[in-house]
Amino acid sequence: MNALPLAFGAPAILMALAALPLIWWLLKLTPPRPKAEVFPPLKILAGVLKREETPSKSPWWLTLLRMMIAALVIFALADPVLNPRNASLSADGPLVLVVDNGWATTADWDRRVETATTLIGDAGDRNIPVSIVFTADQTHDAVPGTSAAALEKLGAAAPRPLRPDRTRTIDALRTALAEDGAGTLAYISDGVALRDDDPFLGDLAALSPVEFRLIEGSGQATVAITGANNGADALAVTLSRLKSAEAQSLIVDAQDRQGRVIASGPVNFAVGATEASGNIAAPFELRNDFARLSVAGIASAGATHLLDDGFRRRKVALISGDSGDGFQPLLSPLYYIERALGPYADLVKPGMTDLAVSIPEILKQNPSAIVLADVGRLPADVYEPIERWIARGGTLIRFAGARLAAAPSGDPLVPVILRQGERALGGALSWAEPQPLADFPSFGPFAGMPRADGILVKRQVLAEPTPDLAERTWASLADGTPLVTVKESGAGRVVLFHISAEATWSDLPISGSFVEMLRRIVQLTRVGAAEAQPGQATAPTLAPYRLLTDRGALTADAGNARPLDLGPARPEAATFDNPPGLYGTEDGFVALNLLPPEATIRPIPSPAGLTVAREPMAGTEAKPLKPSLLITAFLLLVTDSLVVLFMGGAFSRIPRRAATTATMAVFAALLLFSPVSQRQSEAADAKRGDEQILGRLDNTHLAYVVTGESDVDRLSEQGLAGLTDFLTYRTTLEPAPPVGVDIAKDELSFYPIIFWPISASAPMPSAAAISRIDAYMRAGGTVLFDTRDQFSSLGDDAGPSVNGERLQAILANIDIPPLEPVPSDHVLTRSFYLLNGFPGRYNGSPLWVEARQEAQSSSSGVASSGDGVTPIMITANDLLGAWAIDTNGASVMPMVPADELQREMSFRSGVNIMMYMLTGNYKADQVHVPALLERLGQ
């Protein structure tokens, strides 16, 4: 590396600087061009009396400007380079290039290739053989060869999503260079040590090269995710970085299987810190969809952390010892378990009560956990399959009960030795009072949970005291007796609740703590591997499913990857045989990440007394200054030309009127586009927008969708004007004039309901506009779609009309609820008028609304419509056409058939719809039933 930060490609040209004094002398003797004056005699006479004469030499500042131009040109021709590259190579041996191509080289791989190409080119110019090896390759050919062969190997190389194997690399170099030795040894390093005492630099120096160069990048993008823990409330992420001199803030994105970012969280590094942690706060249900974590802005295998099925929704099998669960559900042992685990797991039940048949069927479905509620004895044939399933990572959760209390001791699927019979607390024959829960211990899944107050345990099964009983107890009662115990078995565990799963033994099943305790236990489970086949090892192997690329993307190309062994030889991190990725199938897989858990990125240590020339990679240190100097000289030359023109009077010849006009035009343009004018214009627009918002909020407006067809839009406006007048005359509601809305631009939240007349010939709304309608409906608004074609059934075998097809296309992108025709007891039929139908110009189509799920099993005469109102209504009766009136108040469209009573009922339908929109389920209250029944009787 050069000691001087500046070098010249043609230093001999700098001798021209000696001619600068001569140039100075010549420029001083060169006077400026005489100034030309206009002919008018008076101006000539006025100039005669001036004492100031035309100078005989150039001004000093103009001479200095021209000297600077000449000096810049001379320096530019000398080709100066800032921080020039050292192109010297030792000719006493081959050039040995050791290139890291592991995960940490992805960000600056092109610069590494450029650096290696430059060194190989220098060796080719001097006919020096080249040996090039890549530390993340599985095989090495370190025998020196031609520069052309080295360039070919360099072009075929690529960064790999692996950690370098430098031990294998140094062995290959020792074998290849045993006789020749090395001239220049250049190590293009990623700067990351494989362990704290990484001896690689010392091993390279032991090859005795004539010159040893260490070439490193900046290392700013060397960041890796070293841990992820899915806690109770958030996903904790741990990051490690190489450079620690400055504070750094990074964002970690959580993505689903489609690569969409569904949650994010910050991770902040302090100054001098190489490790930092952060949380991705998200609901448990959303965290179940996390497929991988990645650091935003950094695309590498280290900055990507894959999540396997252990982070996702579990499959839990429920087995009860009581066969009559359905008769009294509140007394069923599985009733409270189902409601506790339902939001967090997929629950499965056996198809029959015979445990000898149902348990093997359950095991074939490979659940994450099995819950046995008050099951005392199991068939002898199922113990061994359950034990194998537990050893592979399954979790067996057992609840006590009368059957388990009466079961004989020695059950291998019980975590502790139980005393036969149960302990009754607070009974007539008991001296002990019901016991509350004690504080949860600092270990186990319940650590950090607050102690549940108000929960009393009245009965329990007791455990025999053993030396390790306290270590196996996850929860206990205030008197110290165990409440929840555990036994680890292989990769799985057996958990026992010493109380029953229903509320007869304790209050725990009807508390929120019960839900949280079960959720945390299930969270510990993992998706077990498939059942081992006969002749197969107990721990199976999983084939590569998706592998990670060097940029952190998943690919189906398995390459030379071998199946992943899940036995004792299972690797903690990626290897050459098992690259990082997912192993298994689409139904279940295991994630293998690049780095082992709790790894830390550290720089490669340099042995004491080692002399090594450190230099940056190509593209960062050498900066030619010639282009900048030539550009600067050109700009100074343009300045000199303008000065000469000004001194020669060239600008004085411009007509004064033209100059004044140009000045005024420039001033007007500046005034027009000035920030003040823009702010005033924006303020005026904002004021108009505020006035419009206040006008919409001041009163209720009926709104319709502007379709773009003038006839349809005019009829919509006339229809809502007619309904507005009817509401004003018949009710206390006095709406303001109707409003047409552009669903792509206008604010929709001002209107409780929007009428949308469907027209197949109108332009199809954009996806963004339909998305705004979907958001409006989710926020509580209602849209009434009217196809105006008397389409009498949504499932008509003849198929929909053209307007119906357009409606289907619109609704295809909206998350609509299940629909049903308005039932006879729906609140819409009595919100103001008592109605049996909702006619418009036609009377053949029902009015479709959101289906009432709770009313399906109701046997009462009047059912509640539930909270809120339906977000969607669909009809084909052309309501707007029936309501449309002209400026004189006369109806615009005829009725079909011509029955004015039908028009009256149509207006009444509109009144009921508006009252339903504004009052919700008020009229569904049971207090109105007697009055309604009395009126119906009349």
Side-chain angles (χ1 to χ4, degrees):
M1 188 173 181
N2 285 327
L4 294 176
L6 186 66
F8 294 90
I13 299 180
L14 295 176
M15 298 178 62
L17 293 174
L20 287 179
L22 178 61
I23 298 174
W24 174 276
W25 182 71
L26 291 176
L27 290 176
K28 288 187 65 176
L29 294 180
T30 304
R33 185 174 63 88
K35 182 178 179 181
E37 294 288 352
V38 184
F39 179 71
L42 293 178
K43 203 164 189 178
I44 295 176
L45 293 176
V48 171
L49 299 178
K50 288 183 179 179
R51 293 184 178 182
E52 186 176 339
E53 303 293 341
T54 301
S56 61
K57 57 183 179 181
S58 175
W60 68 268
W61 51 269
L62 184 59
T63 303
L64 180 61
L65 178 64
R66 293 173 178 175
M67 292 289 291
M68 291 177 59
I69 295 174
L72 288 174
V73 172
I74 293 173
F75 273 103
L77 295 178
D79 194 11
V81 178
L82 185 65
N83 294 327
R85 181 181 62 84
N86 188 358
S88 62
L89 294 176
S90 174
D92 296 334
L95 168 65
V96 179
L97 274 177
V98 181
V99 183
D100 279 338
N101 63 327
W103 66 272
T105 63
T106 301
D108 55 359
W109 177 251
D110 293 337
R111 285 170 49 203
R112 295 175 184 272
V113 172
E114 181 183 354
T115 303
T117 302
T118 303
L119 292 172
I120 295 173
D122 293 342
D125 295 339
R126 302 182 61 184
N127 295 322
I128 298 176
V130 180
S131 172
I132 182 171
V133 290
F134 301 92
T135 59
D137 285 357
Q138 197 164 4
T139 59
H140 302 285
D141 181 9
V143 178
T146 63
S147 59
L151 287 175
E152 184 177 354
K153 290 179 62 177
L154 179 63
R160 304 193 62 191
L162 297 168
R163 292 177 295 167
D165 189 347
R166 294 172 180 146
T167 302
R168 186 179 302 182
T169 303
I170 201 68
D171 292 340
L173 288 175
R174 288 170 180 166
T175 303
L177 303 175
E179 300 179 357
D180 299 336
T184 298
L185 192 153
Y187 175 32
I188 305 178
S189 172
D190 60 9
V192 180
L194 298 181
R195 58 180 188 268
D196 294 342
D197 56 345
D198 195 337
F200 190 60
L201 290 182
D203 294 339
L204 290 178
L207 297 176
S208 302
V210 177
E211 182 186 17
F212 187 10
R213 297 184 186 178
L214 178 60
I215 305 174
E216 294 179 318
S218 64
Q220 294 296 330
T222 308
V223 179
I225 300 177
T226 57
N229 182 23
N230 200 357
D233 300 321
L235 180 66
V237 184
T238 303
L239 268 63
S240 180
R241 63 173 179 170
L242 182 62
K243 298 297 182 180
S244 60
E246 299 178 355
Q248 190 176 12
S249 180
L250 299 173
I251 299 296
V252 178
D253 295 331
Q255 303 173 350
D256 59 9
R257 291 193 179 186
Q258 287 72 36
R260 298 171 297 190
V261 177
I262 56 179
S264 299
V267 177
N268 299 315
F269 286 93
V271 176
T274 59
E275 290 185 340
S277 299
N279 292 327
I280 301 178
F284 182 81
E285 296 81 1
L286 188 61
R287 280 183 277 139
N288 280 336
D289 294 332
F290 290 176
R292 60 176 176 173
L293 308 175
S294 60
V295 180
I298 301 178
S300 69
T304 303
H305 189 86
L306 300 176
L307 306 176
D308 54 21
D309 293 339
F311 279 81
R312 295 182 179 87
R313 191 177 181 92
R314 277 73 167 174
K315 181 185 293 184
V316 179
L318 305 181
I319 300 176
S320 173
D322 186 0
S323 60
D325 295 342
F327 297 103
Q328 293 180 326
L330 293 179
L331 299 179
S332 167
L334 298 181
Y335 179 83
Y336 302 97
I337 299 177
E338 290 179 11
R339 278 146 185 80
L341 293 180
Y344 311 114
D346 292 329
L347 306 180
V348 295
K349 290 184 178 181
M352 56 185 64
T353 57
D354 187 356
L355 297 183
V357 178
S358 60
I359 289 182
E361 291 181 353
I362 288 293
L363 292 178
K364 289 180 181 179
Q365 301 182 39
N366 195 26
S368 300
I370 297 177
V371 178
L372 298 181
D374 192 19
V375 176
R377 297 183 181 183
L378 292 173
D381 296 339
V382 303
Y383 277 95
E384 184 178 356
I386 291 181
E387 289 176 347
R388 290 200 307 266
W389 169 79
I390 295 174
R392 293 195 307 272
T395 297
L396 180 65
I397 306 174
R398 304 194 66 172
F399 283 87
R403 293 178 178 83
L404 183 61
S409 60
D411 191 341
L413 298 181
V414 174
V416 293
I417 302 175
L418 296 179
R419 295 181 180 179
Q420 194 168 8
E422 71 267 15
R423 174 196 184 196
L425 303 173
L429 301 179
S430 174
W431 293 95
E433 296 292 333
Q435 291 292 313
L437 270 62
D439 292 332
F440 293 106
S442 58
F443 61 91
F446 309 145
M449 284 183 56
R451 181 171 58 89
D453 296 329
I455 295 177
L456 298 177
V457 175
K458 296 179 282 292
R459 299 176 70 181
Q460 68 176 142
V461 291
L462 291 176
E464 292 286 353
T466 56
D468 59 347
L469 181 60
E471 299 176 0
R472 295 187 178 186
T473 301
W474 280 354
S476 60
L477 301 183
D479 60 0
T481 55
L483 176 66
V484 181
T485 54
V486 64
K487 179 182 71 173
E488 303 289 340
S489 178
R493 62 190 60 83
V494 179
V495 181
L496 172 64
F497 282 76
H498 290 241
I499 57 175
S500 64
E502 27 77 27
T504 57
W505 284 32
S506 72
D507 302 327
L508 181 63
I510 58 176
S511 68
S513 298
F514 185 72
V515 177
E516 182 65 14
M517 293 170 72
L518 283 181
R519 187 191 69 81
R520 293 196 179 197
I521 293 176
V522 172
Q523 179 67 24
L524 293 177
T525 63
R526 53 180 295 180
V527 176
E531 178 72 27
Q533 299 299 325
Q536 191 180 26
T538 303
T541 58
L542 298 180
Y545 171 54
R546 295 285 189 271
L547 296 183
L548 206 63
T549 66
D550 62 293
R551 301 192 64 83
L554 288 173
T555 177
D557 185 10
N560 297 324
R562 296 183 179 181
L564 180 65
D565 186 3
L566 297 183
R570 175 180 176 178
E572 292 185 353
T575 62
F576 284 100
D577 293 334
N578 298 118
L582 304 176
Y583 291 80
T585 63
E586 185 179 1
D587 297 329
F589 46 77
V590 172
L592 182 64
N593 286 293
L594 174 71
L595 300 176
E598 301 180 0
T600 302
I601 300 177
R602 293 183 174 89
I604 299 178
S606 181
L610 177 62
T611 301
V612 57
R614 294 179 179 268
E615 56 185 84
M617 290 188 295
T620 58
E621 76 285 5
K623 183 178 181 181
L625 300 179
K626 183 177 181 179
S628 301
L629 293 177
L630 289 177
I631 292 174
T632 304
F634 175 75
L635 294 176
L636 293 178
L637 180 62
V638 172
T639 304
D640 179 85
S641 301
L642 294 175
V643 170
V644 171
L645 291 175
F646 180 78
M647 295 177 63
F651 296 106
S652 63
R653 300 177 184 177
I654 301 176
R656 182 171 300 177
R657 180 174 299 176
T660 303
T661 305
T663 303
M664 293 179 63
V666 172
F667 179 75
L670 292 176
L671 183 62
L672 180 62
F673 295 101
S674 66
V676 176
S677 299
Q678 293 180 1
R679 287 195 295 269
Q680 291 176 350
S681 177
E682 293 174 357
D685 294 340
K687 184 177 181 180
R688 287 192 295 268
D690 294 341
E691 293 176 353
Q692 184 180 11
I693 292 175
L694 292 175
R696 296 290 186 266
L697 297 176
D698 186 59
N699 205 338
T700 302
H701 292 263
L702 306 185
Y704 64 92
V705 173
V706 177
T707 63
E709 293 186 337
S710 57
D711 295 341
V712 177
D713 295 341
R714 183 172 59 255
L715 186 63
S716 299
E717 183 178 7
Q718 293 173 338
L720 292 186
L723 180 59
T724 298
D725 291 346
F726 193 89
L727 287 167
T728 303
Y729 297 149
R730 300 292 183 91
T731 71
T732 58
L733 177 63
E734 298 180 1
V739 176
V741 295
D742 184 351
I743 59 175
K745 300 178 181 178
D746 295 338
E747 178 59 48
L748 306 179
S749 60
F750 300 146
Y751 316 104
I753 184 171
I754 297 177
F755 295 84
W756 191 336
I758 302 299
S759 176
S761 57
M764 178 68 182
S766 64
I770 295 178
S771 178
R772 297 184 80 238
I773 282 291
D774 189 17
Y776 166 78
M777 295 167 63
R778 292 178 184 274
T782 297
V783 181
L784 191 152
F785 297 93
D786 194 339
T787 58
R788 304 172 298 132
D789 53 8
Q790 197 181 354
F791 182 46
S792 59
S793 175
L794 293 179
D796 194 352
D797 295 337
S801 63
V802 290
N803 288 352
E805 292 177 350
R806 172 57 60 88
L807 177 60
Q808 289 181 354
I810 294 173
L811 297 183
N813 298 317
I814 298 178
D815 186 16
I816 61 174
L819 302 179
E820 66 176 355
V822 174
S824 59
D825 58 354
H826 197 279
V827 68
L828 266 172
T829 62
R830 57 184 185 274
S831 59
F832 194 85
Y833 294 102
L834 297 179
L835 299 177
N836 295 322
F838 299 87
R841 291 185 61 218
Y842 313 106
N843 194 18
S845 170
L847 178 63
W848 293 82
V849 295
E850 180 182 6
R852 300 174 301 166
Q853 300 299 324
E854 75 280 0
Q856 293 179 357
S857 59
S858 176
S859 59
S860 61
V862 178
S864 172
S865 65
D867 294 335
V869 297
T870 176
I872 183 173
M873 298 182 185
I874 300 176
T875 185
N877 287 336
D878 193 9
L879 293 174
L880 293 173
W883 303 335
I885 60 174
D886 56 18
T887 56
N888 297 323
S891 300
V892 175
M893 303 295 292
M895 302 299 291
V896 180
D899 184 3
E900 289 304 314
L901 179 59
Q902 180 175 322
R903 191 187 302 274
E904 173 68 18
M905 299 307 296
S906 176
F907 275 112
R908 294 189 178 188
S909 300
V911 172
N912 273 30
I913 291 173
M914 287 305 304
M915 293 302 170
Y916 170 63
M917 294 307 306
L918 297 176
T919 62
N921 60 355
Y922 165 72
K923 285 300 182 72
D925 199 328
Q926 293 293 322
V927 72
H928 299 284
V929 171
L932 294 175
L933 293 178
E934 181 181 356
R935 292 184 60 186
L936 288 173
Q938 293 177 357

